[in-house]
Amino acid sequence: MPMYQPSKLDVGGGGQVLDLETAVKDGILGGGGGVTASGGATTEKLDLKKMIEELDSVEVPSVFICPISLEPMQDPVTLCTGQTYERSNILKWLSLGHLSCPTTMQELWDDSITPNKTLYHLIYSWFSQKYLAMKKRSEDVQGRVLEILVTLKKVKGQARVQALKELRQVVANHSSAKKTMVDNDGIGLMSSLLGRFTTHAVGSEVVGILVNLNLDSESRSNLMQPEKVSLMVDMLNEGSIETKINCTKLIENLMDGNNPEPETVSSLSLLVGLLRLVKDKRHPNGVQPGLGLLKGISSHESVRSSIVSIGAVPQLVELLPGLNPECLELALAILENLSSVHEGRLALKDCANTIPNVVKLLMRVSETCTQLALSILWAVCKLAPEECAPVAVEAGLAAKLLLVIQSGCNSTLKQQSAELLKLCSLNYTATIFISKCKLTRTLQ
């Protein structure tokens, strides 16, 4: 646990160790409370609490940390033992009847507390310097973003690509740059750079910028224009893995809250590109974005037959055993959507691994996965009960269904399980069914 060392402080850099009074006196870590927002003595004094809140991600010297709350001190006071604490924290400790020092557990021979002005000034000075430096960097970033936006209106070719690369890096690393882009119509400018004749070099940088920004509904609608989406789809198929992922994320973002035209989301080129992305074993980081967008597209009933037509069903079924829980839910949701159309049910039935792969997921990952898996199995077994039910029984479905029925799952799941269990038993006598499923012990 960090604690205040009353005599020495390592200020870093050259490893010099000083006592607090010398550090303040010599100005190595700043003077007293006179630091101001403009660096002069005539402007308003900076608020320590505000600075601490805005610099919450900065690593703070342990000497500034209260040993009780492990937060930077704003009003440090010292006990008779020489240990320093935040005033409110140590007063609460004493009010609870404790007669010892929280850090050393020494008995207090004097319960008075003394303001540690030297440490306060040092804390204030340190945070002031960090805060002003942060503000200056933020102002520099905002200024640079504005300069690049002006430049982009003038340059073309490789100069435009280089300017976009720099802007992309700045936007990705600084929240103030994102705000500057939004406040100065940077999104509108980026959108204007996407079109039928935009090169992939420019397009990939623009998409890399847009995917880091918060887009309002007007911006989304503008970016959903067919020629802009067409460019994104081309880059999804032909770009680098980073570009493919960014295009996928951006298209999903654009679809969120909008009702895209059917021809926009039913593009075979888009569907094929997404399927390639989720199947690319060299780049597993593309699986989740690809499945996420594919799930969104499959929610449109008019597109489901197109997804089935490109062979999505058997390819997604083959992926199931190797997916993490989050991706499993996405993949199963897609398959459930596809099972609502006749072509999808046929494709699921004709895929040899559908039943065994889906049965394995019952009661293993999450209740959501179990619900989706049950829905898929019901669609397949209902379509061809005489063909599929025996396969499902051999895969251990009946035992899994009994587990669901006996579990704490919701009543809808239990009802679905009971109906599916009944469907699977139609081709057997009760004795043979129990024997086939090895359920004698369970039923007894």
Side-chain angles (χ1 to χ4, degrees), residues 251-283:
I251 294 173
E252 183 176 15
N253 186 1
L254 298 180
M255 287 178 58
D256 186 26
N258 287 330
N259 290 314
E261 296 296 325
E263 57 269 22
T264 301
V265 295
S266 63
S267 158
L268 289 179
S269 183
L270 170 60
L271 300 177
V272 169
L274 289 175
L275 206 52
R276 286 177 181 162
L277 182 62
V278 301
K279 287 172 52 189
D280 190 347
K281 295 181 179 179
R282 299 169 301 166
H283 303 103

Side-chain angles (χ1 to χ4, degrees), residues 99-387:
L99 300 176
S100 59
C101 173
T103 301
T104 65
M105 299 311 294
Q106 288 177 269
E107 185 177 348
L108 299 177
W109 58 91
D110 181 355
D111 63 359
S112 62
I113 57 176
T114 304
N116 192 326
K117 295 182 179 180
T118 300
L119 183 58
Y120 169 79
H121 290 314
L122 196 55
I123 292 172
Y124 185 90
S125 178
W126 188 89
F127 274 100
S128 298
Q129 291 175 10
K130 294 288 183 183
Y131 181 79
L132 292 175
M134 179 191 73
K135 288 296 183 185
K136 185 177 186 307
R137 285 196 302 271
S138 178
E139 291 170 1
D140 291 345
V141 165
Q142 294 171 19
R144 185 56 188 146
V145 169
L146 293 174
E147 289 175 3
I148 297 174
L149 291 178
V150 171
T151 299
L152 285 170
K153 296 175 182 178
K154 303 176 182 177
V155 299
K156 295 183 179 181
Q158 191 58 31
R160 174 174 286 177
V161 174
Q162 290 304 317
L164 287 168
K165 283 183 181 293
E166 183 181 353
L167 181 59
R168 179 181 177 183
Q169 185 175 14
V170 173
V171 167
N173 294 324
H174 301 278
S175 58
S176 58
K178 297 179 177 66
K179 186 176 186 303
T180 303
M181 286 287 291
V182 173
D183 293 346
N184 293 274
D185 196 31
I187 295 175
L189 177 58
M190 293 300 103
S191 180
S192 71
L193 296 178
L194 296 176
R196 185 174 303 171
F197 302 107
T198 302
T199 65
H200 285 194
V202 168
S204 63
E205 297 302 330
V206 170
V207 169
I209 293 168
L210 289 172
V211 81
N212 281 297
L213 300 175
N214 293 322
L215 306 175
D216 58 25
S217 57
E218 183 180 351
S219 299
R220 289 195 187 101
S221 297
N222 186 26
L223 287 165
M224 281 297 283
Q225 294 177 28
E227 67 272 14
K228 299 182 190 298
V229 175
S230 178
L231 174 64
M232 294 179 216
V233 171
D234 286 344
M235 293 190 293
L236 169 60
N237 280 281
E238 301 173 13
S240 65
I241 185 61
E242 183 182 15
T243 297
K244 290 178 180 180
I245 292 173
N246 284 337
C247 287
T248 300
K249 289 180 176 179
L250 182 57
I251 294 173
E252 183 176 15
N253 186 1
L254 298 180
M255 287 178 58
D256 186 26
N258 287 330
N259 290 314
E261 296 296 325
E263 57 269 22
T264 301
V265 295
S266 63
S267 158
L268 289 179
S269 183
L270 170 60
L271 300 177
V272 169
L274 289 175
L275 206 52
R276 286 177 181 162
L277 182 62
V278 301
K279 287 172 52 189
D280 190 347
K281 295 181 179 179
R282 299 169 301 166
H283 303 103
N285 54 327
V287 176
Q288 186 173 329
L291 289 173
L293 178 53
L294 202 53
K295 177 191 172 185
I297 294 174
S298 70
S299 66
H300 297 268
E301 188 174 354
S302 61
V303 186
R304 292 170 187 171
S305 295
S306 297
I307 300 175
V308 175
S309 72
I310 63 171
V313 168
Q315 295 182 62
L316 290 173
V317 167
E318 296 302 323
L319 287 175
L320 292 178
L323 296 177
N324 63 41
E326 190 170 0
C327 290
L328 261 177
E329 288 193 9
L330 293 172
L332 288 172
I334 297 167
L335 291 173
E336 187 201 30
N337 286 339
L338 300 183
S339 73
S340 69
V341 297
H342 183 67
E343 300 95 319
R345 290 191 290 274
L346 281 175
L348 285 163
K349 178 184 77 70
D350 292 340
C351 178
N353 286 324
T354 295
I355 291 176
N357 282 0
V358 176
V359 166
K360 289 177 183 176
L361 299 176
L362 291 171
M363 297 296 290
R364 286 193 58 182
V365 182
S366 66
E367 188 168 316
T368 299
C369 279
T370 295
Q371 183 172 356
L372 293 169
L374 274 176
S375 180
I376 294 166
L377 290 167
W378 174 260
V380 174
C381 292
K382 185 73 172 176
L383 178 67
E386 292 186 358
E387 178 183 348

